[in-house]
Amino acid sequence: MRRPIISGNWKMYKDINEAIELANAVKRGVFDVENVEIVICPSFTNLSELGEMFVGSNVSVGGQNCYWEKEGAYTGEISVPMLKSVGCSYVIVGHSERRKYFGETDETVNRKIAAVLEEELVPIMCVGETLEEREAGKTLEVVKDQVVGGLRNFQETQLETLVIAYEPVWAIGTGKTATPGQAQEVHAMIRSLMAECFSPAFADAVRILYGGSVKPDNVGELMAERDIDGGLIGGASLKAEGFVDMVKTTSQLYAEKKG
Ligand code: 13P
């Protein structure tokens, strides 16, 4: 069975004091959860502190972005070795906000994934269609192109840790969640695409998260879908109680599945 991941993407929220407070509350709330991988992706300025706070706990930290060069004259950029040095074990790559506002493309996503893998961190590759694309009936085509483009030239053996996050752009921060059926359809397509590009065993093992207005009251029905292996959560991860609740709901669901 694939191990579920519940990840909070804090985006550009929380200064250092607020971040410490929220991180402490999350840590206390989830300390006894064993069957869910819990990942917090705070802003770069909070990473070092949170990385230390979570040492020895069941919570990991991740970056929200990275640059593909290891070092150099790239003012304002952050490299993967730098992320690793402050305790990161995951990096979100290709979030739709990066694609939309910062010119990220499938090609830059591809280069960033290579850089993340080279340092043995886990890439969380984000893909998803806009409302316009969905309404034009292009969802599966768009997502397929993004997945293929992001993973171009990789061998299956390099991608063992890869995590994919399907985040329909129209569901991000809008309160409009994809229905479990809408999400499952895309997740199933991505999984069969992975079987085609790599192998059935790879497809069976790769974890595919859903993101887009996941909240305590819809996390259960989403996680119950067979090809949804966790969530990448924005707004609802900024409140400790709700985030802990979503981790616990997922934990319970998986404990029951196993039993
Ligand atoms: P919301 O949960 O706020 O919709 O954001 C989702 C997201 O973009 C996570 O990366």
Side-chain angles (χ1 to χ4, degrees), residues 130 135 212 228 241 249:
T130 62
E135 284 176 347
I228 301 183
E241 203 184 327
T249 302

Side-chain angles (χ1 to χ4, degrees), residues 195-210:
E196 236 176 81
C197 296
F198 301 110
S199 70
F202 179 83
D204 194 45
V206 69
R207 288 172 298 175
I208 309 174
L209 314 184
Y210 169 79

Side-chain angles (χ1 to χ4, degrees), residues 92-157:
I92 297 173
V93 177
H95 191 280
S96 65
E97 287 148 14
R98 301 236 35 109
R99 294 177 191 257
K100 180 172 175 196
Y101 303 120
F102 304 102
E104 199 112 333
T105 63
D106 294 336
E107 202 204 321
T108 61
V109 167
N110 186 259
R111 297 182 78 163
K112 289 181 180 192
I113 291 174
V116 172
L117 292 170
E118 197 180 332
E119 298 301 321
E120 297 181 328
L121 270 58
V122 176
I124 303 177
M125 177 180 75
C126 301
V127 295
E129 83 288 1
T130 62
L131 182 60
E132 216 183 1
E133 289 162 342
R134 174 160 284 266
E135 284 176 347
K138 292 188 176 152
T139 298
L140 297 182
E141 182 190 327
V142 167
V143 172
K144 183 176 174 180
D145 284 351
Q146 289 174 341
V147 173
V148 169
L151 301 181
R152 184 157 292 138
N153 296 329
F154 286 115
Q155 306 296 317
E156 169 177 346
T157 49

